[in-house]
Amino acid sequence: MRTNQPQTIYLSEYKVPAYLVDQVDLRFELFEDGARVHSTLTVRRNPDSAESAAPLFLHGDSLQLESVSLNGSPLGTGEFEDRGDALVVPSVPEEFELQVVTWIEPQNNTRLEGLYKSSGMFCTQCEAEGFRCITFYPDRPDVMACFRTRIEADKSAYPVLLSNGNPVDNGELENGRHFVTWEDPFPKPAYLFALVAGDLVEKKDTFTTCSGRNIDLRMYVEPRNAKKCDFAMDALKRSMRWDEDVYGREYDLDIFMIVAVDDFNMGAMENKGLNIFNSSCVLASQETATDAAFQRIEAIVAHEYFHNWSGNRVTCRDWFQLSLKEGFTVFRDSQFSADMGSPTVKRIEDATLLRTAQFAEDAGPMAHPVRPASYMEISNFYTLTIYEKGAEVVRMIHNLLGDEMFRKGSDLYFQRHDGQAVTTDDFVRAMEDASGRDLGQFRLWYEQAGTPVVSVSDEYDESSGIYRLTVRQSIPDTPGQTGKKPQHIPFALGLLGADGQPLPLKLSGESGEAPLERVLELSQEEHCFEFEGLSERPVPSLLRDFSAPVRVHYPWTREQLLFLMSHDPDGFNRWDAGQRLAVDVIQSLVGAPESAGVEPRLVDAYRSLLQDSELDQALMAKMLQLPSEAYLIELAEQADVAAIHQARENVLGYLAEGLRDELMACYRGNAGQGDYQLTPEAIARRSLRNTALGWLLHIGDQEALALAKEQFRGADNMTDRLGALRALVNSDFAEDRTQALEAFYKRFSDDPQVVELWFSVQASSDRAGQLPQIRQLLDHPAFDWKNPNKVRSVVGAFAAQNLAAFHNPDGSGYEFLAEQVCRLDDSNPQIAARLVAPLTRWRKFAPGYSKQMKSALERIRDKAELSRDVYEVVHKSLAD
Ligand SMILES: [Zn+2]
């Protein structure tokens, strides 16, 4: 749909559907030049709708209508209206069958919404509003129907024909064609519909559920990927078991299928019984996938599987409730990942993403509540706020209620709403009803956008032994929202004595034994907490385990941060103290003269880290990572990217010089130990080793160069091979960089996923990814504009990770991005709208940058025929 005046849709205007669909019978005739879709809908008026005389309204998009019949009689002109984006039948009985035949062209579908072709196979993506590109339908999640789907296609080209549910029939047809019929007994919204037809190999396994039912598990992939399925299959079985153990959720169909598709806008899709995955989020082998990719795959397989209950059995009433399924399911998958690996490291990763990217979103022009009140294009709301902040909100409920009550609440939610389309409010109410807790004020987390700021000040009175903490919260204004109310914030903290021991937290007036850690519940603008019985001034450890998605302001001294970095019993805060210290040191150098020295205690702190034999290696690996440029920019008032980049480089260089021997010892001490393993310990060792290598190459160390080349050649896994490649690419050894890149490409050129890594290593490097080189990558034969992963690995990586080059003061990076967005907007508006994101934050940057970012946005705005997706992002970003 193209329009210059997209409509805004408001939550407040929600109305129940005028018609309900009980049964959908679909017949797909698939051909090379298109597909004919026969749809038979069993429809009745919704008794809950006030509009008793409403016409039947069905959404449509890019469909060629061939015929419409009502109860078997063809409708003539005047009896229906084909508006292009809708089919309207003004006069219908109370109950009826509607038959619609449409013709579509999947082979020309570059938007990758609805039915399209990827590498010769047919596949679908219907969330959020793709089903209307397949046939006319009331395409809204609160219309739930049972689907029966018959697929017909040429047997030799498309031997595998899949849809949702269980297979119930199949057979041969004329002209070498065949068919398979699928029936899904669970009512579902159209966004969960899926179809796949292709020449795919099948990997089989089984799972026995807690009640003893045997489930067929199948993965379908292109033959070349047959060896890359084992890990995902195993992750699926772990997820199924975990959901039974932790949430009491058993799988319901007889078969569960996963299909890998190369061209996919998103990561993966939870279609009932037939999950479709972006290849990069499901296929993995030791030789081709990094540790991070394995972990991501495990999390995404789990996420999509968990949706079977949190999303499919209980779904969203409307798209404003998207976080109902996404926030809850991200929380569930993060619990799962924490259980499978290191909980502290998982928490650090989640908080890093939130603080770097979601806080930025919350402070930008697209800021919206976890439950938005309006949108133009729902595809633009698959955001970090809906997913990650939404998960944090569920996490806070979990922490406020405790394990047991939270489980009672989730049981009640699933039992009360099974088969329904509901709201975030229904979710919170189930939690309240099960636990008896009042979450009235807590609901503001769903309604108010913006990241709360919690400012803490303290005083210690030696004579009385009282330590007084004053905690104030405020929530910044966001577009369309000012003067916000205080929120209910669980604020976990501890106090440490000078010897590093935790001190008892006895609030004034309390008796009994005082805990060593507690969660203060903030509900007012300001609270004052008095802790008594303290014989020394404590060092506060605030917001332990990142107990709420807020910014904490407290005037920590560097001494205190150094102290917490080595003594805080909370692993997350130990890491956080190191980050705060590094941020403080880097910020003090931004724009400082070259002679300005780096804080020498930082080297000592990192040295103690590297020499700490007690410390969990996975935590050490995280603690050694300097805060990213993106995070430093997020923290800055008026970001001067070049100065931030320079300051960070200086600190990195200073640390690497000062710790050269310790880094070398770390590298050698963490050498490979036998066969490749995916345990948290082995992952931590590889991370430490590759971090050390990267730092040493950063300072041009010759011995490290030799080690990097050796590691690059001899690695038995992608983590180490790519670690060495990345270190070389980001070094000043230009010749070695070129050789390594060539060798890597030669070795993996027939594996699209590894080629994507190869693109992104270059595009995200300020050494190898300056604009002329980026343009060369776009001209590379392996680059493909129609493949979202390729676009992300070059254009996306350049704009989001290669910040010094993207923010080139001459504005060329912005112009480049604007050019690519305009180009992609015609073929794939969803991807185009996502690529715009780095420009939308133009107000955040120093004037020299922001002016040029704004003009790049204006250039996109002025393009003729802008998609609704890009229109919304650009216009909101430029609005006053
Ligand atoms: Zn999801």
Side-chain angles (χ1 to χ4, degrees), residues 491-494 505-507 510 514-520 531 544:
F491 193 73
L493 84 166
L505 296 158
K506 187 172 178 226
L507 283 168
E510 278 184 340
L516 297 176
E517 175 174 285
R518 62 194 303 163
V519 180
L520 303 174
F531 297 99
R544 281 192 166 168

Side-chain angles (χ1 to χ4, degrees), residues 659-669 692 696 701-704 707:
L659 298 168
R660 197 258 166 205
D661 293 346
E662 288 83 357
L663 289 167
M664 199 53 91
C666 171
Y667 182 84
R668 294 193 189 279
L696 288 166
D701 191 279
Q702 287 292 338
E703 191 184 340
L707 291 171

Side-chain angles (χ1 to χ4, degrees), residues 1-3 6 111 113 366 376-380 825 828-834 836 866-875:
M1 270 311 302
R2 293 191 173 260
T3 164
R111 287 159 54 187
E113 296 172 74
M366 289 293 286
M376 288 179 189
E377 170 51 62
I378 187 58
S379 299
N380 288 330
D825 188 48
N828 190 331
Q830 279 188 14
I831 298 296
R834 278 175 185 256
V836 183
L866 209 53
S867 71
R868 189 168 58 207
D869 308 60
V870 173
Y871 178 99
E872 177 174 29
V873 177
V874 169
H875 279 256

Side-chain angles (χ1 to χ4, degrees), residues 127 268 270 303-304 307 325-326 329-330 387:
E127 188 177 358
E270 70 262 24
H303 177 97
E304 305 307 334
H307 267 316
K325 72 179 180 78
E326 295 306 342
T329 306
V330 172
Y387 280 68

Side-chain angles (χ1 to χ4, degrees), residues 789-809:
N789 290 2
K790 296 289 184 304
V791 173
R792 282 186 278 253
S793 66
V794 178
V795 185
F798 171 69
Q801 293 167 44
N802 192 356
L803 299 176
F806 173 61
H807 292 278
N808 189 317

Side-chain angles (χ1 to χ4, degrees), residues 56 170 292 457 467 486 503 609 650 660 723 773 797 817:
L56 177 72
N170 66 78
S457 58
Y467 177 68
L503 300 173
L609 260 184
N650 288 351
R660 197 258 166 205
Q773 295 151 319
L817 187 62

